[in-house]
Structure formats: structure tokens, C-alpha cells
Amino acid sequence: MRITVVLIYLFSAWSLSAQEYKLLSWKDLEPQQDFEDPFEELELSQLRLLGELAYYREIEKVAKDELTSYELNRKDSIMQVLTTANIDYEYLFKIRPKVEEMRAKRSSEVNERLDNTLIEISGYLLPLNFDEGKANEFLLVPWVGACIHTPAPPKNQIIYVKTKEWMDAVELYDPVLLSGLLTVGERISELFLGDGTTQINTGYTVTNGTIFKF
């Protein structure tokens, strides 16, 4: 009976502790906006058609050149395909500047609602400091090779992490789970690359974080 009571207590304590942490996706780190991007609902082929149609219209509007018979036929064909797919291209062209503005805002700002929140999030670590193969400062990024093999993600897609203890510098291609207290605030870190260092802007920080390897 005593063992049963102890087990129930331990399970309850674990459940309460687990509930304190909010499991986040990288999308959650973007600022909360009451704005839907209609372009995200389109297929890649449809986006390409929109781009081609915009190109033909730009020629007619800016260059004052006449389209060739092929281009005119192609333009009409694209308009017909988009109309058949119930895509209002006139509306999309009209709101494009607003969409670009909101996308820029989404990539440069952070989600203030997450400040001082206990979180868990998976990603990949980039060590910032080394001492005999160990590190206690990292950047957590959403995909393999970010900041090294590809351009750095926006600051709201990078988390500066300082762990409680020095730990073995994990392999760059190994996914990890980070848990800790997330705070909002811009920070600049020096990331060492093979040909020098580069400055990386981060919008979030987790200090005394815990890293779990998958």
C-alpha cells in the first residue's frame, strides 16, 4: 500500500512538472499576427504562374513594349488557368505589398508573449565556446547547417542557450531537445566558422538550460 501511495505521488509530481513546460514549435517563436498570408496556400506551380503573369504585366506597364504573340497567348493561358483554380490574381497583386510588409515584420520581430516562459523545443546546436571538447554556450537553430552551410535564420528563429554545466559539444547533425526559461531580448553572438567568425543576432535566450539528446 505504501509503495502504491509513493508511486502515485511521484507520478503526480512528474505530471505537474511536465505541465509547467510549454512545448513549442519554431512557428510559435514568430510574432503573433492577425494576418493570413494567402500566398502560403498556393502550390509552387501556381506561384510560378503568378510570377510569370506579373512579369508580362510589368513589361506592358513599365517597358512600354508590346508583347509578342506567344507572350500574349501565354499570358491569356495563365489567366485562364488561375481563374479555373479560383485564384483571384488581381486581389493577390493588390495585396502583395502588404504581404511583403507583414512577412518582413514576422521575420524581424519576436513573440513577446513568450517572455519568461518555461519551454521545450527541439532543434540543432551550434557551440559558441570550447574548452577541451566541451561547451556551455550554444545557438539553437531549427535546421541542420543553419548559420554554417546556409544563411542565418531571422533572429526569432535562433535561441542563445547557456547550459547549467559544461557538456560535450554535440554533433551538429544530432537533434536535441532544449528545456528552460525563455526570455525575450536581442543578443549578438560570435560564431566561429572555418574561415573566421560571424556575428549572429538572436531574439531569445535560455539560461541554465537543459539539453537532451535524442
Side-chain angles (χ1 to χ4, degrees):
M1 178 67 178
R2 180 178 299 177
I3 295 178
T4 302
V5 172
V6 171
L7 289 176
I8 293 175
Y9 171 79
L10 290 177
F11 178 78
S12 299
W14 175 84
S15 299
L16 179 61
S17 176
Q19 291 174 1
E20 293 176 350
Y21 286 82
K22 183 175 183 180
L23 182 62
L24 298 182
S25 69
W26 288 93
K27 185 74 174 177
D28 295 326
L29 298 182
E30 296 178 350
Q32 301 300 302
Q33 300 178 358
D34 296 326
F35 176 78
E36 293 185 3
D37 187 340
F39 291 91
E40 293 182 345
E41 301 174 1
L42 302 180
E43 298 176 0
L44 180 58
S45 60
Q46 294 170 334
L47 290 172
R48 287 173 176 169
L49 289 177
L50 276 175
E52 190 175 351
L53 179 58
Y55 168 73
Y56 291 138
R57 287 192 166 191
E58 193 68 15
I59 291 179
E60 293 177 317
K61 179 181 178 181
V62 178
K64 304 298 182 182
D65 291 335
E66 294 184 1
L67 297 177
T68 65
S69 59
Y70 167 80
E71 291 171 335
L72 285 172
N73 291 334
R74 178 61 179 166
K75 173 187 170 185
D76 292 339
S77 175
I78 292 173
M79 293 166 61
Q80 183 176 357
V81 170
L82 294 176
T83 300
T84 302
N86 295 318
I87 297 175
D88 189 347
Y89 52 84
E90 297 290 358
Y91 169 73
L92 293 176
F93 287 148
K94 181 179 179 180
I95 67 167
R96 179 182 174 183
K98 179 64 175 179
V99 171
E100 291 178 344
E101 176 185 341
M102 297 304 294
R103 283 182 175 181
K105 181 178 180 181
R106 186 173 61 187
S107 66
S108 63
E109 297 185 0
V110 295
N111 186 351
E112 298 286 351
R113 300 177 185 178
L114 294 176
D115 193 29
N116 290 311
T117 300
L118 287 171
I119 63 97
E120 290 183 334
I121 188 170
S122 59
Y124 299 86
L125 289 177
L126 300 177
L128 292 174
N129 61 341
F130 292 94
D131 187 0
E132 297 182 353
K134 295 182 179 292
N136 72 339
E137 293 183 72
F138 304 87
L139 298 179
L140 186 76
V141 293
W143 64 80
V144 172
C147 303
I148 296 180
H149 303 300
T150 64
K155 68 180 182 180
N156 61 28
Q157 297 292 286
I158 310 177
I159 302 175
Y160 167 81
V161 182
K162 189 163 186 178
T163 54
K164 299 176 182 178
E165 300 176 353
W166 287 74
M167 56 180 289
D168 292 332
V170 298
E171 293 293 332
L172 301 181
Y173 304 104
D174 292 341
V176 300
L177 179 69
L178 166 69
S179 65
L181 181 66
L182 185 78
T183 58
V184 173
E186 187 168 356
R187 180 188 182 98
I188 299 177
S189 300
E190 293 282 343
L191 176 65
F192 176 76
L193 303 175
D195 56 352
T197 61
T198 185
Q199 291 187 333
I200 304 295
N201 290 345
T202 57
Y204 299 98
T205 295
V206 169
T207 54
N208 294 325
T210 301
I211 302 295
F212 300 93
K213 301 178 184 179
F214 288 110

